[in-house]
Amino acid sequence: MISSAANYPVSVLFGVSAGVIYKVPRYQREYAWKYAQWESLFDDILDNEPGYFLGSIICISNHRDAYSVNELEVVDGQQRLLTISLLYSAIYNVLHTAESVLGVQLQSALVDLPRIILYSRQNLLRVNPQIQNRNLDDYRGLLSEIGILDGYSSPTFAGNRRIYRAFKFFRYLLKRLIEQHNGEINILEDFIHKLNQACMIKIEVSSSSDAYLLFESLNNRGIPLTAIDIIKNKLLASLESEDESANSVTYNNWNQLLTLISDDYTTQERFFRQYYNAFKNELLDVQQVPIATRSNLIQVYERLIDNDAEAFFEGLRNAGRIYSRILVQDEDDQDDILKTPLCKLERIKGAPSYLLLLYLLRERANLDIQDEDIRIIVEFLIRFFVRRNLTDTPPTRDLIRLFMSVVNEVSTLRGRQVREKIESVLINVSASDNTFRERLQGQIYQDNVDVTRFILCSIEEDHMTRETTRNLWEKVKKKFVWSIEHILPQGENLPTIWLEMLAAESREQALELQQSFTHKLGNLSLSGYNSALGNMGFIDKRDKQNRNHDYVGYRNGLWLNRNLAQADHWSIEDIDKRTAELTEEALRLFSLNE
């Protein structure tokens, strides 16, 4: 079934000697990676040693002629391959613009990069995206724009689509890396080396049926032993007693700890990392590791258990009880003033700050702070994470060390000073109002769907009265009852009624306008009946009723829809105007300088 399978450095997979090009068939999905995946790939390369494993690709090889180009049909891994190619393109662009100051090694890299991105013998693309959503046209246009490929121009509005957005994001990350090293561009030598040496397993099969069978085999493998399992085994072995009842109590206490945290492994692992990172200073006599990560978690905990298993476990259990409160595990505790803000912090994905909250809640007597102080801090963290998660400032890779440093800085403070220090440090590293405004006015839905929903819900909740209160976070079968509604519909099959309303000169121009404006804040709202509104015309969406004759369209009573309920058309100008209005609402709600 498998013609070949081997682990290769990226430089070999993309190298001249490889003699292959990778083609994504048209039936594969369009390029779909977003900021989270781009940033994760970049950080994984930057933070790990050369040889870091990036995953696998599965290709169908039909190569028969030794004198022809070996085209591999990419069945799995096309997102990763294209992203790596875009990263190489961004590196080339950054180096090319600074060519006059490059050292010898980077001069050599600048020469080599086009031969990585192109199959140089025939000037063909090394990675060929499929054609959906103009992926291939955008990629060719981008490479022509930066001087690698000749003969192509950038399609209209290509900058709004993911190929260009990925390239620009990588270029931004590279420039920021240079700035963090005092403008020394030669820091890229190490990054390029790590990227070239990062490894991927390339599996070649001879047919589509073989590829399918391989998929089945890979996706049905067993569940491996986790780091938490290994830590548990180490702990229970260390606490093992001749008294069976004592062993039973220890085992039950361990299970109770995991129950307090969550049955979700990702949450459990995060707790174990954050416990060490929050209280590292008091554990330094035992373990000198500067930060707990996924890769060193077992090493960290083995040393802690070996030192004093009983004391360690007691401290861990106490922290687990506190962490359970942070996770709002006790949903019946209506008197907890932290419950609502902590729920909001979880919704905005503020989990990196849990290590700070774990420290504050355990040490609040020593720090002379009360639940009310912590509530105010959590409210501030919510505003911080709305801005951070939309602007990527500070970057994800810096968040753990950021909150560890905050713990260090507040450990000697008392009372109000604690809150003021936290706010001061986070304001100092947060995005400016201008940067936040720019992202709010951009393609916000494409940038971050979760932040977009949180902002829309927050604006609506801010205008709710006792009579108009709704639970915008209610779920049925794990899906939100209230979902994001695109007023001007997304998707390529735009009905004629919308084409006419856009007042475009041609269908192509209308679709380009749609791509540029559909995902802006002003074109988004909330609907409890999203799936039924879809591609309806604006008036039909506005007046839609259910079987009980309740309005489920834009006359559903939401503050967000108050102007839509009275409007009789929807244009690009309307989107711009509403974007400006909602941007001001968001800037007010998520200001850090209250």
Side-chain angles (χ1 to χ4, degrees):
M1 180 176 76
I2 298 177
S3 302
S4 66
N7 193 22
Y8 297 99
V10 170
S11 59
V12 172
L13 292 174
F14 283 74
V16 175
S17 60
V20 300
I21 63 176
Y22 303 95
K23 300 198 74 171
V24 180
R26 64 173 59 235
Y27 62 79
Q28 293 282 7
R29 64 173 178 163
E30 66 185 67
Y31 184 59
W33 274 20
K34 299 180 182 179
Y35 284 103
Q37 290 87 7
W38 301 332
E39 185 178 45
S40 178
L41 175 71
F42 188 91
D43 287 347
D44 284 345
I45 293 166
L46 184 64
D47 293 340
N48 288 283
E49 296 301 313
Y52 180 76
F53 180 61
L54 291 177
S56 61
I57 58 173
I58 300 176
C59 306
I60 299 174
S61 175
N62 298 305
H63 190 50
R64 298 288 182 270
D65 184 354
Y67 295 98
S68 66
V69 178
N70 184 9
E71 293 185 358
L72 296 179
E73 181 179 324
V74 182
V75 179
D76 183 49
Q78 68 271 20
Q79 303 284 330
R80 190 176 296 106
L81 283 174
L82 182 54
T83 303
I84 291 171
S85 193
L86 290 167
L87 178 53
Y88 273 125
S89 302
I91 294 171
Y92 174 83
N93 185 245
V94 171
L95 295 183
H96 188 265
T97 56
E99 187 172 1
S100 61
V101 298
L102 299 182
V104 175
Q105 283 189 294
L106 288 183
Q107 285 280 2
S108 177
L110 185 60
V111 173
D112 291 338
L113 282 167
R115 292 183 289 182
I116 289 174
I117 298 165
L118 300 179
Y119 183 87
S120 57
R121 189 170 63 178
Q122 298 184 25
N123 206 35
L124 301 173
L125 298 177
R126 177 74 63 188
V127 178
N128 290 257
Q130 46 80 285
I131 62 175
Q132 289 188 54
N133 200 25
R134 309 199 72 171
N135 283 176
L136 180 59
D137 291 340
D138 288 349
Y139 186 51
R140 285 172 172 165
L142 171 64
L143 296 183
S144 294
E145 188 175 308
I146 63 176
I148 290 180
L149 187 66
D150 295 326
Y152 295 93
S153 58
S154 300
T156 310
F157 297 107
N160 295 326
R161 294 187 286 270
R162 288 198 175 100
I163 298 289
Y164 268 73
R165 290 157 70 85
F167 167 79
K168 291 176 182 177
F169 186 62
F170 284 137
R171 187 172 60 185
Y172 158 74
L173 292 178
L174 291 164
K175 289 181 177 179
R176 186 177 66 189
L177 179 62
I178 295 169
E179 291 172 1
Q180 290 172 343
H181 290 81
N182 301 316
E184 181 52 63
I185 194 169
N186 288 323
I187 189 64
L188 294 188
E189 290 179 11
D190 184 57
F191 182 82
I192 294 170
H193 177 66
K194 287 183 175 181
L195 174 57
N196 287 339
Q197 294 304 308
C199 290
M200 298 177 68
I201 294 177
K202 183 180 74 171
I203 303 172
E204 290 188 27
V205 297
S206 57
S207 68
S208 297
S209 60
D210 287 346
Y212 175 77
L213 291 174
L214 184 58
F215 270 131
E216 290 293 295
S217 175
L218 292 176
N219 291 333
N220 288 295
R221 58 189 181 273
I223 300 174
L225 200 65
T226 68
I228 306 303
D229 291 327
I230 295 172
I231 292 169
K232 176 193 73 173
N233 294 342
K234 172 74 175 178
L235 177 65
L236 295 182
S238 298
L239 295 174
E240 189 173 11
S241 167
E242 294 181 0
D243 183 351
E244 287 300 321
S245 63
N247 292 336
S248 178
V249 169
T250 301
Y251 184 78
N252 289 337
N253 286 341
W254 173 268
N255 288 335
Q256 184 184 52
L257 169 65
L258 295 189
T259 301
L260 281 170
I261 301 169
S262 170
D263 58 2
D264 174 62
Y265 175 75
T266 301
T267 304
Q268 293 174 1
E269 184 203 71
R270 185 182 68 216
F271 164 71
F272 278 81
R273 284 187 283 112
Q274 290 187 331
Y275 173 75
Y276 177 81
N277 293 333
F279 305 111
K280 185 192 71 170
N281 289 342
E282 65 188 53
L283 300 171
L284 281 177
D285 291 340
V286 180
Q287 177 58 274
Q288 298 294 321
V289 173
I291 183 171
T293 65
R294 291 183 177 91
S295 60
N296 68 12
L297 193 62
I298 296 172
Q299 170 198 342
V300 168
Y301 274 84
E302 282 183 337
R303 186 75 177 271
L304 295 175
I305 292 168
D306 284 338
N307 179 68
D308 187 339
E310 191 170 343
F312 158 75
F313 191 32
E314 183 57 34
L316 196 67
R317 291 179 62 207
N318 181 46
R321 287 187 283 269
I322 297 171
Y323 209 75
S324 177
R325 185 183 183 193
I326 295 172
L327 297 174
V328 196
Q329 296 287 70
D330 186 1
E331 297 183 359
D332 295 329
D333 189 357
Q334 301 298 326
D335 296 328
D336 189 350
I337 65 170
L338 298 183
K339 179 180 177 180
T340 297
L342 284 171
C343 282
K344 291 182 178 180
L345 186 62
E346 187 275 331
R347 289 167 184 163
I348 196 55
K349 303 196 181 305
S353 66
Y354 290 177
L355 78 87
L356 171 62
L357 296 177
L358 181 59
Y359 178 83
L360 295 177
L361 285 165
R362 200 195 77 170
E363 297 298 310
R364 59 183 180 172
N366 294 329
L367 297 171
D368 192 24
I369 56 176
Q370 307 298 321
D371 276 2
E372 177 61 18
D373 298 301
I374 297 176
R375 183 193 66 79
I376 295 172
I377 290 170
V378 175
E379 294 282 4
F380 180 86
L381 289 171
I382 293 167
R383 301 196 297 275
F384 169 80
F385 273 101
V386 170
R387 300 166 73 104
R388 194 234 75 84
N389 291 351
L390 188 60
T391 64
D392 188 47
T393 305
T396 302
R397 63 186 301 270
D398 293 346
L399 290 177
I400 297 175
R401 286 182 171 85
L402 170 63
F403 285 106
M404 290 176 70
S405 72
V406 174
V407 167
N408 287 336
E409 296 208 41
V410 303
S411 62
T412 59
L413 303 178
R414 297 295 178 267
R416 187 179 180 87
Q417 292 177 326
V418 174
R419 192 178 86 207
E420 291 174 346
K421 173 57 71 172
I422 292 171
E423 293 179 357
S424 173
V425 171
L426 296 185
I427 288 173
N428 190 49
V429 298
S430 185
S432 66
D433 281 349
N434 286 338
T435 300
F436 186 40
R437 181 191 299 275
E438 182 181 336
R439 286 298 181 91
L440 286 168
Q441 293 180 335
Q443 300 271 49
I444 186 172
Y445 183 85
Q446 280 192 328
D447 289 347
N448 195 312
V449 175
D450 293 326
V451 174
T452 301
R453 189 178 194 285
F454 189 89
I455 289 174
L456 289 171
C457 288
S458 296
I459 292 173
E460 181 63 36
E461 287 165 350
D462 186 60
H463 290 275
M464 283 182 182
T465 64
R466 181 176 297 179
E467 292 75 24
T468 62
T469 295
R470 294 176 173 87
N471 180 8
L472 301 177
W473 298 92
E474 180 184 358
K475 287 185 176 181
V476 173
K477 295 182 179 179
K478 298 184 179 181
K479 291 185 177 181
F480 288 117
V481 172
W482 292 87
S483 56
I484 296 177
E485 155 73 13
H486 287 76
I487 303 168
L488 168 63
Q490 55 181 333
E492 295 183 1
N493 299 319
L494 199 61
T496 302
I497 190 170
W498 279 106
L499 295 174
E500 294 173 350
M501 188 168 286
L502 287 174
E505 295 180 1
S506 66
R507 179 179 180 82
E508 182 177 358
Q509 184 189 34
L511 293 176
E512 298 288 5
L513 288 171
Q514 179 200 32
Q515 285 196 339
S516 297
F517 289 88
T518 302
H519 299 307
K520 287 198 167 190
L521 188 58
N523 190 57
L524 306 173
S525 188
L526 294 171
S527 166
Y529 211 70
N530 184 269
S531 60
L533 298 182
N535 279 2
M536 288 181 177
F538 178 79
I539 300 300
D540 289 335
K541 285 188 172 188
R542 184 194 68 186
D543 298 340
K544 177 70 177 179
Q545 294 177 304
N546 62 17
R547 294 178 180 177
N548 297 324
H549 302 292
D550 299 317
Y551 283 109
V552 292
Y554 303 141
R555 291 183 171 175
N556 59 11
L558 293 186
W559 183 90
L560 282 170
N561 296 334
R562 70 200 188 288
N563 293 330
L564 299 175
Q566 306 303 320
D568 55 13
H569 71 285
W570 193 244
S571 66
I572 299 303
E573 291 75 18
D574 294 321
I575 294 174
D576 277 337
K577 180 180 178 182
R578 190 166 177 271
T579 296
E581 292 173 350
L582 295 183
T583 294
E584 293 307 313
E585 289 283 327
L587 285 167
R588 175 181 62 83
L589 285 176
F590 304 111
S591 171
L592 297 183
N593 298 298
E594 291 188 350

